[in-house]
Amino acid sequence: MKNWKKVKLGSLLTESKIVSENPNPNNRIRVKLNVLGVEKRPVTKDKKGATRYYIRKAGQFIYGKQNLHKGAFGIVPEELDGYESSSDIPAFDINDSCYSEWVFYFFTKHNFYLKLEDLAKGVGSKRIHPIQIFDLEIYLPSKKEQRKILDEIKNAEANNEVLLNEIELQEKNLIKLRQSILQDAIQGKLTEGWREQNKNLVSANDLLIRIKDEKVQLIREKKIKTERLLTSITPDKTPFEIPESWVLCRLQSILKDIRYGTSKKCDYGLGDSPFLRIPNIIKGKIDLSDLKSTNLSDKELKDLSLESGDLLLIRSNGSENLVGRSAVVIDAGIGYSFAGYLIRIQIFKKFINSSYLYLVLESPWIRIAIESPLRTSSGVKNLNSNEILKLMIPIPPYEEQKIIVENVAQLLSSCDELEQKIITNKEISEKLMQSVLNKLLGDENNIFMNKKTDEKAKNIISREIKFNSKTTNMDLIKLLKVNGKLHAEDLWKMSEHYDDKNINDSIDKFYSDLKTKIEIEKTIKEVTNEKGYIELV
């Protein structure tokens, strides 16, 4: 490694600009984030002639100008040979002295691409242009040695893939385990032994009778409205067997009240009433880290007030996975109200444990029941109150509800520990792979790992800006003759290529001209020890 030479990345890469004479929206490619590779882009409607597209070839290095620092880079695979992309996704032919994979691993090593975010703060727009990466230095051993090292990396990746597949299997099994725990809980399987030792309990059927009596009294007092009768649950509709002391009922049977939140537009942050929204419902709990407030009338505050033990359920959201998710309100002391995408569920807490009901709503049985009837309106998934009221809920005796909650909490805590071990194993896998890359590829002392970077940045920030609105745009050579050395940003804005109405094309033309004059005509060069400055040769 000590004998490896260092070269500029620009000496290995040549941007490919083969224009597609017959652009085809069905033959477009894109680069996925997080180093997930290159893929065919879904077909979209493009304005004819609005964008120029270029032919991409298998084996070319390719990246997204806006997202290189987010892992949007890769090698064009064989199956996408001949596909197209715009200049925002440039592709590069690789010098015969280098394998394309060698360049690819240069960016992945130590997650180096993450450090390139500083380049995205360059001139004109938040893009990383080819000329900016051309200046990066890369180790370049002989091609024979590259091949040997790349084969070793492939072998290490294959071994790592086996480990990652095992971790992925563990993740899937853990998901199944969590689901199994919840399903066993609502079928009474977790408390079989406990029931044998506690037989003299008030049955769940008696609980429903008491709830019904209280409802009748509340209706007489006009505190709640008369309920619409729902279809009874017949034996053929029973989804699974439950213990004799349990009962299967509609959710409506155990509710005191169900209410939508307010749908009026609110000025978040300007009022005195804490206002709960979908982001505040996280894993069964109310998260107050992003709590907003609003102004509501006294009547609205009363109607939308929350009590400890209430449940808030997400009824509408763009994601099916969020619809139907809920949280138990533990502390209602600060007077929460809630938004229109949420539904408040109030139950008879003397007879139904709120945390038990939450477990039922999270169980696989209820998740299937919730997700199957979801209605779509303009792409948004909706769950209305009628569908919620019809949900079939297994109810155990009250004491058993509490025991189920305790048992599930212990079991899910063990799952959390397993999950943390899986996360740790993934991190170890990543570190091992990065260690292999570093050992095999070397550790370039590039500008992002150099302690002098901060000083260079300060010099750039404090530079004298020579561009102004009165500048006459002209040829690069003439500009440097008149002004002497110029920073690249000034040179661009003062050049004939500058166009503030078409920034991206303007920058592309500028960098293309600059590269030609530096590498081919050799009339312009970068100023030694002054990063970003250009001068005549």
Side-chain angles (χ1 to χ4, degrees):
M1 186 181 302
K2 292 182 180 179
N3 296 325
W4 292 356
K5 63 181 179 179
K6 266 187 182 179
V7 300
K8 298 280 189 179
L9 197 58
S11 68
L12 304 177
L13 303 181
T14 302
E15 186 173 357
S16 176
K17 289 194 173 183
I18 303 173
V19 177
S20 176
E21 299 298 338
N22 297 295
N24 184 354
N26 195 44
N27 286 343
R28 302 277 158 76
I29 58 176
R30 66 181 180 185
V31 190
K32 300 171 73 174
L33 302 179
N34 303 315
V35 201
L36 292 178
V38 185
E39 67 176 6
K40 184 179 183 295
R41 194 190 80 179
V43 178
T44 58
K45 291 184 179 180
D46 295 326
K47 293 181 179 179
K48 192 172 182 179
T51 304
R52 179 173 290 182
Y53 287 91
Y54 302 88
I55 302 296
R56 304 315 185 190
K57 297 294 183 180
Q60 289 179 331
F61 177 74
I62 190 169
Y63 79 89
K65 286 183 179 179
Q66 288 183 298
N67 293 309
L68 173 60
H69 61 287
K70 296 179 182 178
F73 62 91
I75 306 298
V76 178
E78 290 290 341
E79 63 269 20
L80 297 179
D81 182 62
Y83 276 59
E84 311 165 351
S85 72
S86 70
S87 60
D88 265 347
I89 306 178
F92 304 84
D93 295 316
I94 310 292
N95 188 291
D96 287 339
S97 65
C98 183
Y99 287 102
S100 54
E101 294 92 340
W102 190 262
V103 176
F104 172 80
Y105 287 116
F106 167 75
F107 285 98
T108 59
K109 181 181 55 183
H110 283 312
N111 293 325
F112 174 60
Y113 64 90
L114 296 174
K115 300 180 177 68
L116 298 177
E117 186 172 4
D118 287 345
L119 292 184
K121 298 174 182 177
V123 296
S125 65
K126 302 297 182 181
R127 286 171 166 78
I128 298 177
H129 293 271
I131 197 169
Q132 293 172 283
I133 65 169
F134 285 167
D135 195 48
L136 300 174
E137 292 186 326
I138 180 174
Y139 280 128
L140 189 69
S142 67
K143 204 166 184 184
K144 181 179 179 181
E145 192 168 2
Q146 288 178 44
R147 184 70 271 161
K148 179 182 177 182
I149 291 171
L150 289 172
D151 288 342
E152 289 186 57
I153 291 174
K154 293 294 183 184
N155 184 56
E157 285 183 330
N159 293 332
N160 192 54
E161 187 68 21
V162 173
L163 175 59
L164 290 176
N165 288 339
E166 176 60 30
I167 292 173
E168 183 180 354
L169 180 61
Q170 292 174 1
E171 289 177 318
K172 291 179 179 178
N173 288 337
L174 184 57
I175 291 172
K176 292 179 181 178
L177 177 58
R178 290 184 186 275
Q179 292 174 337
S180 177
I181 289 170
L182 292 175
Q183 192 61 35
D184 285 350
I186 69 168
Q187 291 184 228
K189 295 180 180 180
L190 293 185
T191 45
E192 287 178 343
W194 184 88
R195 279 195 305 278
E196 287 296 320
Q197 300 174 9
N198 298 270
K199 295 183 177 181
N200 299 320
L201 298 172
V202 176
S203 70
N205 193 55
D206 288 338
L207 293 182
L208 289 187
I209 292 172
R210 295 182 185 184
I211 290 174
K212 187 175 181 180
D213 291 341
E214 289 212 10
K215 283 189 176 185
V216 170
Q217 183 60 34
L218 290 172
I219 290 171
R220 286 173 182 166
E221 296 172 0
K222 297 184 178 181
K223 292 183 178 179
I224 63 174
K225 295 179 180 180
T226 303
E227 295 174 338
R228 181 172 61 88
L229 291 178
L230 297 177
T231 306
S232 59
I233 302 173
T234 56
D236 61 304
K237 297 293 184 181
T238 303
F240 44 75
E241 291 186 5
I242 56 175
E244 291 183 7
S245 57
W246 289 35
V247 68
L248 189 66
C249 67
R250 302 286 184 188
L251 181 58
Q252 176 181 271
S253 300
I254 61 174
L255 293 189
K256 181 187 292 184
D257 185 52
I258 182 168
R259 187 178 295 270
Y260 292 103
T262 179
S263 58
K264 78 171 189 178
K265 293 184 179 180
C266 299
D267 297 322
Y268 295 139
L270 301 180
D272 299 321
S273 173
F275 197 78
L276 298 177
R277 304 164 299 127
I278 290 174
N280 301 116
I281 309 297
I282 300 179
K283 294 183 178 180
K285 297 180 180 179
I286 304 295
D287 187 305
L288 303 180
S289 60
D290 188 26
L291 184 64
K292 305 295 183 181
S293 59
T294 189
N295 277 324
L296 295 174
S297 67
D298 290 342
K299 184 179 185 307
E300 286 173 321
L301 286 172
K302 181 180 179 181
D303 290 342
L304 301 177
S305 64
L306 294 166
E307 301 174 1
S308 295
D310 288 350
L311 281 85
L312 280 179
L313 184 142
I314 298 172
R315 72 174 183 87
S316 179
N317 189 267
S319 167
E320 280 191 28
N321 192 45
L322 281 179
V323 176
R325 297 296 183 186
S326 60
V328 179
V329 177
I330 302 299
D331 178 14
I334 62 171
Y336 303 126
S337 57
F338 56 101
Y341 291 124
L342 302 177
I343 288 182
R344 181 191 66 195
I345 296 176
Q346 289 187 330
I347 58 178
F348 290 87
K349 303 178 189 70
K350 291 189 297 182
F351 309 117
I352 304 297
N353 183 288
S354 301
S355 296
Y356 170 76
L357 180 57
Y358 165 74
L359 295 180
V360 176
L361 295 176
E362 286 293 306
S363 69
W365 154 245
I366 293 295
R367 289 305 305 166
I368 293 172
I370 283 176
E371 291 171 7
S372 57
L374 287 181
R375 296 179 296 106
T376 302
S377 174
S378 302
V380 177
K381 307 299 181 180
N382 292 290
L383 186 68
N384 64 38
S385 59
N386 289 331
E387 290 156 351
I388 295 171
L389 293 174
K390 290 187 293 186
L391 292 173
M392 288 188 281
I393 309 295
I395 303 295
Y398 187 72
E399 290 299 322
E400 190 170 355
Q401 294 175 38
K402 294 191 290 184
I403 296 300
I404 289 172
V405 170
E406 292 173 7
N407 289 351
V408 170
Q410 291 176 359
L411 292 170
L412 292 184
S413 177
S414 297
C415 289
D416 291 340
E417 293 177 8
L418 290 173
E419 183 177 19
Q420 189 55 53
K421 290 179 180 178
I422 290 173
I423 292 172
T424 300
N425 287 337
K426 290 176 76 172
E427 292 173 349
I428 291 173
S429 171
E430 171 66 17
K431 289 178 181 178
L432 286 173
M433 198 61 226
Q434 286 297 334
S435 176
V436 169
L437 292 178
N438 186 51
K439 179 180 178 181
L440 294 175
L441 298 175
D443 188 11
E444 291 93 335
N445 184 26
N446 56 67
I447 60 171
F448 296 98
M449 298 179 183
N450 195 321
K451 293 181 180 179
K452 295 181 180 180
T453 301
D454 291 339
E455 294 179 9
K456 291 182 179 181
K458 289 177 182 177
N459 290 336
I460 292 173
I461 293 171
S462 61
R463 69 182 175 83
E464 178 188 359
I465 298 175
K466 295 189 176 183
F467 166 77
N468 59 63
S469 59
K470 298 180 180 180
T471 301
T472 301
N473 299 102
M474 61 180 73
D475 176 78
L476 302 187
I477 300 295
K478 291 181 180 178
L479 281 170
L480 293 172
K481 284 182 178 179
V482 172
N483 297 280
K485 67 181 180 182
L486 287 171
H487 188 270
E489 180 176 359
D490 287 334
L491 186 60
W492 164 56
K493 289 184 176 180
M494 297 164 72
S495 76
E496 60 189 346
H497 304 300
Y498 183 66
D499 181 357
D500 60 359
K501 295 180 180 179
N502 198 345
I503 293 294
N504 293 332
D505 285 347
S506 167
I507 294 177
D508 284 339
K509 290 176 182 178
F510 166 71
Y511 281 139
S512 178
D513 188 11
L514 189 63
K515 183 181 178 183
T516 298
K517 286 179 168 57
I518 290 177
E519 297 182 2
I520 299 176
E521 297 177 6
K522 300 188 183 300
T523 53
I524 292 176
K525 67 177 182 179
E526 292 183 79
V527 179
T528 306
N529 298 325
E530 286 191 75
K531 184 66 179 176
Y533 279 85
I534 308 295
E535 66 181 357
L536 292 172
V537 172

